[in-house]
Amino acid sequence: MEQIRLSGIKKSYGGAVAIENLDLTVHSGEFLTILGPSGCGKTTTLRAIAGLEEPDDGVIQLGDTTVFSRHDGVIIPPEKRGLGLIFQSYALWPHMSVAKNITLALKEQKLSASEVENRLTTALEMVQMGDLRNRYPSELSGGQQQRVAVARLIALRPAILLMDEPLSNLDAKLRTEMRAGLKRLHRDLDATTVYVTHDQIEALTLSDRIIVMNEGRIMQEGTPYDIYHHPANLFVAEFIGDPRINLFSGVVKAGRLECGDLTLPVRGGLSGKLTASVRPESINVSFDTKPHWLEVKVENVQPTGADTIIQVHAGETPITLLQSGFITLDVGAPLWVNFDLTTLNFYDPETTNNLGQA
């Protein structure tokens, strides 16, 4: 296992800043996901680690080795960094069979024929493609091509894995299967892994730790639980979650946050203008009359199978709810909702920072 350390990394393209003074440590054996919208700097960060992009400034260390230092003039090329890479495009040689795609890098390492065959067989068994070793990429589905790319990494056995949106070309079912496969790969190889995606589901299900980026800067880093339940700012709160988080802005009066047509409980010590957030699944819902609960009207109902998204209005204030099960309701039907203080986060509307975060 190897630790990855980035210190003071900067990268611009013309006048556009891609990475702004980034400090980041990926611990040995950790699965770290860099999450963010297009253009936030996540792929540039990954490519800098791989040696495919040359930063304008800073230092990159892999284990005890400095692979990039602008100040010291150190630039170790990608092929000498001992990395395993999976890209969105899979990067398979079309004129080579599955077996040759997997073993090409092994043969360049001058491994014995028996060792190459052993690693090939093991890798193909792990991705359940032992009977397809002689096929060519054009004869494979997208999911099978992705598994070949994964098998190539398994055979290479690198100490560091870098993955750049490897599942974005797959359909929903294959994404679910491959998420499990990538998690298993990380565990089996015991490799330090950096995974780049804009898909929050991938980040929440795969990661030991998540870095949320925007405009070249880290917005928050933490466990999937903390990122989801305790967003550091409004950007993270709105970016994470499907359906999107509810935001209510108002003013604290008499110990309650008055937000137009609804009032919310407020943690002690907060005052003035605030923005509150609450996840749709964290709002208590009753289909029968509840004294002292807020009555709302159903605006839209979207069953998704296991869950149902219910959009309601309290006067002019829209609220999104998420309930377990397949639910059908008539538009205009009444519901009653209640807000639990323990599920609310509060933000300064000017700085957008979470007022409960250190």
Side-chain angles (χ1 to χ4, degrees):
M1 295 186 292
E2 297 277 7
Q3 178 176 269
I4 303 170
R5 179 171 294 170
L6 285 69
S7 304
I9 298 298
K10 299 178 181 178
K11 179 65 179 178
S12 297
Y13 299 98
V17 176
I19 305 175
E20 184 178 339
N21 201 32
L22 180 69
D23 294 324
L24 174 63
T25 298
V26 188
H27 306 295
S28 297
E30 182 179 33
F31 195 117
L32 178 100
T33 295
I34 305 178
L35 176 67
S38 297
C40 72
K42 57 187 185 295
T43 293
T44 302
T45 301
L46 187 84
R47 289 174 63 85
I49 297 171
L52 301 174
E53 292 283 353
E54 187 177 314
D56 301 327
D57 199 4
V59 176
I60 301 175
Q61 295 173 296
L62 304 182
D64 296 327
T65 303
T66 298
V67 297
F68 176 84
S69 172
R70 173 63 65 196
H71 180 267
D72 296 329
V74 175
I75 305 176
I76 295 179
E79 65 273 14
K80 294 184 178 180
R81 296 193 181 189
L83 306 168
L85 298 130
I86 299 181
F87 296 103
Q88 181 179 346
S89 63
Y90 316 141
L92 302 180
W93 293 103
H95 64 289
M96 292 184 179
S97 66
V98 167
K100 288 185 177 179
N101 264 287
I102 294 172
T103 60
L104 180 62
L106 302 181
K107 292 176 179 178
E108 290 178 349
Q109 293 180 0
K110 308 298 184 182
L111 298 179
S112 67
S114 60
E115 177 65 13
V116 169
E117 178 60 28
N118 180 58
R119 291 197 188 189
L120 170 63
T121 301
T122 300
L124 287 173
E125 288 176 353
M126 287 182 67
V127 299
Q128 301 176 13
M129 290 190 63
D131 57 341
L132 301 178
R133 61 185 290 162
N134 294 320
R135 290 197 183 182
Y136 290 84
S138 62
E139 301 173 314
L140 304 175
S141 68
Q144 289 170 331
Q145 290 183 50
Q146 179 60 289
R147 280 187 275 168
V148 175
V150 171
R152 184 170 54 193
L153 275 189
I154 294 171
L156 191 59
R157 299 178 185 175
I160 294 174
L161 299 178
L162 304 180
M163 305 185 192
D164 188 8
E165 307 213 34
L167 307 184
S168 59
N169 289 337
L170 305 182
D171 61 37
K173 181 180 178 181
L174 276 175
R175 280 192 181 200
T176 300
E177 292 177 359
M178 288 306 301
R179 281 203 302 267
L182 292 177
K183 189 79 170 180
R184 186 168 56 251
L185 171 66
H186 167 74
R187 183 179 63 248
D188 291 344
L189 295 182
D190 202 20
T192 305
T193 303
V194 180
Y195 189 97
V196 162
T197 185
H198 65 275
D199 188 315
Q200 56 183 290
I201 301 300
E202 292 177 13
L204 292 170
T205 55
L206 288 170
S207 312
D208 297 318
R209 186 161 54 104
I210 298 173
I211 302 291
V212 182
M213 289 187 69
N214 189 41
E215 297 181 345
R217 295 180 293 115
I218 293 176
M219 296 286 100
Q220 184 176 359
E221 60 179 286
T223 65
Y225 183 91
D226 285 338
I227 295 288
Y228 188 79
H229 290 285
H230 305 291
N233 50 60
L234 287 174
F235 173 83
V236 177
E238 292 188 272
F239 187 76
I240 302 290
D242 184 21
R244 292 179 64 179
I245 201 166
N246 291 286
L247 297 178
F248 306 111
S249 295
V251 179
V252 177
K253 294 182 180 179
R256 304 277 295 183
L257 182 63
E258 295 191 359
C259 309
D261 299 292
L262 72 154
T263 63
L264 300 173
V266 178
R267 191 174 66 248
L270 297 179
S271 61
K273 294 182 178 180
L274 297 177
T275 297
S277 75
V278 60
R279 297 287 178 194
E281 69 275 15
S282 297
I283 300 174
N284 300 314
V285 178
S286 174
F287 298 92
D288 300 312
T289 304
K290 284 276 190 177
H292 311 300
W293 284 33
L294 176 67
E295 182 177 345
V296 296
K297 299 295 183 183
V298 174
E299 179 74 19
N300 192 16
V301 180
Q302 303 173 48
T304 64
D307 302 304
T308 299
I309 302 168
I310 307 172
Q311 294 172 322
V312 301
H313 276 81
E316 298 298 319
T317 303
I319 306 172
T320 300
L321 313 172
L322 184 65
Q323 292 288 288
S324 297
F326 196 107
I327 299 171
T328 57
L329 293 167
D330 294 329
V331 172
L335 293 177
W336 287 263
V337 299
N338 188 46
F339 298 87
D340 184 344
L341 176 60
T342 62
T343 66
L344 294 168
N345 285 281
F346 299 95
Y347 307 84
D348 184 321
E350 294 187 4
T351 67
T352 77
N353 291 333
N354 190 327
L355 294 172
Q357 299 292 311

